[in-house]
Amino acid sequence: MTEVADRVLSIRDLRVVAPNGAVLVDGISLDLKRGEVLGLIGESGAGKSTIGLAAMGYGRGGCRIAGGQITLTGTELTQSGKSVREAMRGARIAYVAQSAAAAFDPSMRLDRQIIEAPVQHGVMTAPEARAWMLELFRALQLPNPESFGLRYPHQVSGGQLQRAMMAMAMAAKPDVLVLDEPTTALDVTTQIEVLALLRDTMRRYGTSALYITHDLAVVAQIADRLMVLRHGKEVETGATGEVLQAPKADYTRRLVAEREGSLRPARGSQKAGGEVLLALDRVSAGYSGLTILNDVSLSLRRGETLAVVGESGSGKSTLARLVAGLLSPAAGRVTFAGRALEGSYRKRGIADLKAIQMIYQLPDVALNPRQSVGETIARPLTFYRGLKGTALRDELRQLLALIGLPDDFADRLPGALSGGQKQRVCIARALAAQPDLLICDEVTSALDPLIAEDILNLLRKLQDELGMTYLFITHDLSVVRRLAERTVVMQKGRIVEDRPTADLFQTPQAAYTRTLLESVPELRQDWLDDIMARRAR
């Protein structure tokens, strides 16, 4: 434990319970000293985010702090009134979420949102807050710092918006940041930049942090200590190097082994010579006069997994939306099972709608918060397959079992689920239609390694048993190597490589592909320093 005078955050015997009485966090104690970063590691539902929010004196979704003490910069939050806790949030402790898009008001300029906290908390005047905002913009290497704040959230890239959210969190100069998967949704090249800037900025200003993540290689670059969690309880805590190199608990050893073994090659396709299910011939597409996809041609055979990789803005998700019928091509031709495919889903027949299903990256956006899990999965069962009554209930139970959730989850609302559980519900909803082609848009990016491996195994099993075909959009190259027979690399809306996955990893031909491959974090603490030094040469 750290010396009392040096602690900015102290938690003792924390206990948090859900509205249904389930214990989410059970007896957690931790100390955080000034300038220190503590990584919270564990699978989905381990209590990581619940602890991070509790450090702010907050329980989401009706959860309540049922026991323990939380002392932030000398103030005991559990015994303080609501007004005291609210005054601390943003001023003494701030939260950085995984999804920057969800953190900003799309109708307001960035600068107005960033200076709001320091002005409202009385930390600074508006001119002082603007000057500090510009200093943060420069520290975070945002483009054109003097005018960057005049933009709206939709006018900047994902990586830039993530850095802007960090500036917003640091605007009132808090003592502690709660970083909840702040780089998980970023592509590997952008993740490196954001991670290095975040680390250097916190070091410059002496900011402490709870870093919540499921990626051991990422947290190894920034955390001084690690706390491993499972089922709301502490598994082990120690210096980052000690936990990674000599884990004491079996569960921690499994996490480390999973990360170190994450580059196992994909099995060969058993149906590589099958019929072409999907083909794009010189397709171009975009939004509001802006071309995103430019002269793209590719084919996908039945029973095959084709991965599409590239950095933010490369056109990966636009390609997925086009195949799903959410965006019509401006030029070119799309065929499915040998016939022309209508550009808009509104013009497609029910057979095509059933045959092509999509799993989205952000389950919080994809799920209706007012519909139970059972209602969400039952809708496509009825719409596409006409199931009712006993047949509907039986199929619902089978789908829940397939994704590893108990029957009683059918009655739960999305707000009562962890991030990984929500994503599994999204997968079950897509599978309910019994599609021929499943478009997977970053489906494992929000999952911890062990659950992600379960999902990948499930996808492999479905492919082997049902002949499923996957168009897999991802920035996680370890997933690509383990799942895909072929990989397409995209840059600025064009395909720069389209090759068998094993060949691409062994002998990348394009310089951009080589940059992507070297950007995959390694499980050693000095990896980030090494790669930033190489790029600076």
Side-chain angles (χ1 to χ4, degrees):
M1 295 296 179
T2 60
E3 294 296 328
V4 174
D6 202 25
R7 296 174 191 164
V8 291
L9 175 67
S10 180
I11 295 177
R12 290 290 176 275
D13 299 319
L14 177 65
R15 191 169 187 269
V16 181
V17 298
N20 64 359
V23 178
L24 303 179
V25 173
D26 191 4
I28 294 298
S29 297
L30 62 86
D31 285 319
L32 189 65
K33 66 181 181 181
R34 190 167 301 279
E36 183 184 36
V37 178
L38 173 64
L40 301 181
I41 301 292
E43 62 191 6
S44 178
K48 305 185 300 293
S49 295
T50 302
I51 293 170
L53 293 171
M56 306 174 72
Y58 180 76
R60 65 178 174 187
C63 299
R64 62 184 180 87
I65 299 171
Q69 295 180 321
I70 303 166
T71 305
L72 176 65
T73 59
T75 300
E76 211 292 305
L77 298 184
T78 61
Q79 301 301 319
S80 301
K82 181 180 178 181
S83 61
V84 173
R85 295 194 300 271
E86 290 180 347
M88 301 286 280
R89 296 171 194 155
R92 301 274 59 84
I93 186 168
Y95 183 77
V96 178
Q98 177 178 347
S99 174
F104 285 95
D105 185 332
S107 67
M108 291 177 60
R109 289 185 338 210
L110 294 171
D111 59 352
R112 290 181 58 193
Q113 300 183 65
I114 290 170
I115 70 169
E116 181 178 27
V119 173
Q120 283 197 351
H121 285 288
V123 176
M124 307 174 197
T125 64
E128 290 171 340
R130 287 189 177 276
W132 172 235
M133 176 186 70
L134 292 179
E135 182 176 336
L136 287 171
F137 283 176
R138 295 187 187 100
L140 292 166
Q141 296 183 18
L142 286 163
N144 304 311
E146 288 74 16
S147 60
F148 181 82
L150 301 178
R151 303 182 190 182
Y152 289 87
H154 69 276
Q155 294 176 319
V156 302
S157 72
Q160 291 170 353
L161 195 61
Q162 198 75 5
R163 283 179 274 168
M165 181 169 59
M166 293 170 188
M168 183 164 65
M170 297 182 72
K173 298 185 178 181
D175 298 282
V176 180
L177 290 178
V178 178
L179 303 165
D180 197 348
E181 303 276 11
T183 65
T184 298
L186 303 178
D187 61 81
V188 288
T189 52
T190 306
Q191 176 179 256
I192 288 174
E193 298 171 1
V194 172
L195 192 63
L197 290 169
L198 175 61
R199 183 189 64 178
D200 295 345
T201 304
M202 289 196 302
R203 286 177 178 176
R204 178 184 302 183
Y205 300 113
T207 309
S208 306
L210 294 177
Y211 197 108
I212 298 163
T213 185
H214 60 254
D215 194 325
L216 279 171
V218 167
V219 78
Q221 312 310 315
I222 198 168
D224 302 292
R225 292 185 299 123
L226 297 180
M227 174 180 282
V228 182
L229 299 156
R230 194 180 191 199
H231 304 319
K233 295 184 178 183
E234 177 185 351
V235 175
E236 68 175 289
T237 299
T240 299
E242 294 176 1
V243 173
L244 296 180
Q245 294 168 18
K248 298 175 182 177
D250 289 341
Y251 176 69
T252 309
R253 286 193 285 271
R254 285 178 59 205
L255 290 177
V256 172
E258 173 60 31
R259 188 59 180 82
E260 290 179 332
S262 64
L263 292 183
R264 292 189 296 271
R267 53 165 177 57
S269 174
Q270 299 174 355
K271 302 184 179 181
E275 66 168 311
V276 173
L277 182 64
L278 173 72
L280 277 65
D281 183 19
R282 307 196 67 175
V283 169
S284 296
Y287 309 90
S288 305
L290 180 65
T291 299
I292 305 297
L293 296 179
N294 199 331
D295 200 31
V296 170
S297 296
L298 59 81
S299 62
L300 176 57
R301 295 184 180 276
R302 189 179 294 275
E304 185 182 35
T305 298
L306 175 67
V308 181
V309 302
E311 63 189 356
S312 177
S314 64
K316 306 186 303 295
S317 292
T318 300
L319 175 63
R321 290 173 60 83
L322 182 139
V323 175
L326 301 175
L327 176 68
S328 297
R333 175 182 170 87
V334 181
T335 58
F336 186 78
R339 64 184 185 278
L341 192 63
E342 290 285 353
S344 172
Y345 76 93
R346 297 180 185 276
K347 297 181 180 179
R348 296 180 183 178
I350 193 168
D352 284 337
L353 294 175
K354 177 180 183 294
I356 302 175
Q357 292 288 308
M358 187 167 178
I359 306 170
Y360 297 90
Q361 177 180 359
L362 300 175
D364 284 322
V365 177
L367 295 176
N368 186 331
R370 296 181 181 275
Q371 285 189 346
S372 69
V373 169
E375 291 170 329
T376 296
I377 300 174
R379 186 171 182 180
L381 289 173
T382 300
F383 182 76
Y384 290 116
R385 296 166 58 187
L387 298 183
K388 297 179 181 179
T390 301
L392 175 64
R393 291 190 292 273
D394 289 345
E395 186 68 12
L396 174 59
R397 282 195 294 270
Q398 290 181 30
L399 282 168
L400 286 173
L402 194 63
I403 60 171
L405 294 180
D407 289 353
D408 60 7
F409 269 64
D411 298 323
R412 298 193 186 187
L413 293 173
L417 306 181
S418 70
Q421 290 165 346
K422 291 174 189 175
Q423 190 63 290
R424 282 184 275 176
V425 172
C426 289
I427 292 172
R429 178 175 59 184
L431 293 174
Q434 295 183 330
D436 296 310
L437 172 63
L438 201 54
I439 304 170
C440 304
D441 191 1
E442 302 281 9
V443 297
T444 60
S445 66
L447 305 180
D448 65 81
L450 297 180
I451 292 179
E453 178 64 15
D454 289 341
I455 295 299
L456 294 180
N457 287 335
L458 170 60
L459 294 174
R460 291 189 192 101
K461 178 175 179 287
L462 293 169
Q463 189 171 53
D464 291 338
E465 295 180 357
L466 306 177
M468 293 293 301
T469 306
Y470 299 126
L471 182 63
F472 212 91
I473 312 295
T474 184
H475 63 255
D476 190 335
L477 296 179
S478 66
V479 169
V480 171
R481 189 166 185 173
R482 297 158 76 179
L483 191 68
E485 290 85 30
R486 284 175 46 241
T487 298
V488 165
V489 181
M490 296 191 68
Q491 183 183 28
K492 297 179 180 178
R494 294 181 180 272
I495 292 177
V496 298
E497 287 202 53
D498 180 354
R499 301 171 61 206
T501 300
D503 294 344
L504 184 140
F505 272 76
Q506 291 171 7
T507 56
Q509 295 179 349
Y512 176 67
T513 305
R514 290 192 290 272
T515 299
L516 285 180
L517 294 179
E518 75 170 10
S519 300
V520 179
E522 298 176 10
L523 197 60
R524 55 184 177 89
Q525 287 182 276
D526 56 355
W527 174 83
L528 183 60
D529 292 328
D530 286 350
I531 194 168
M532 295 305 292
R534 288 200 301 270
R535 292 186 175 186
R537 291 172 190 154

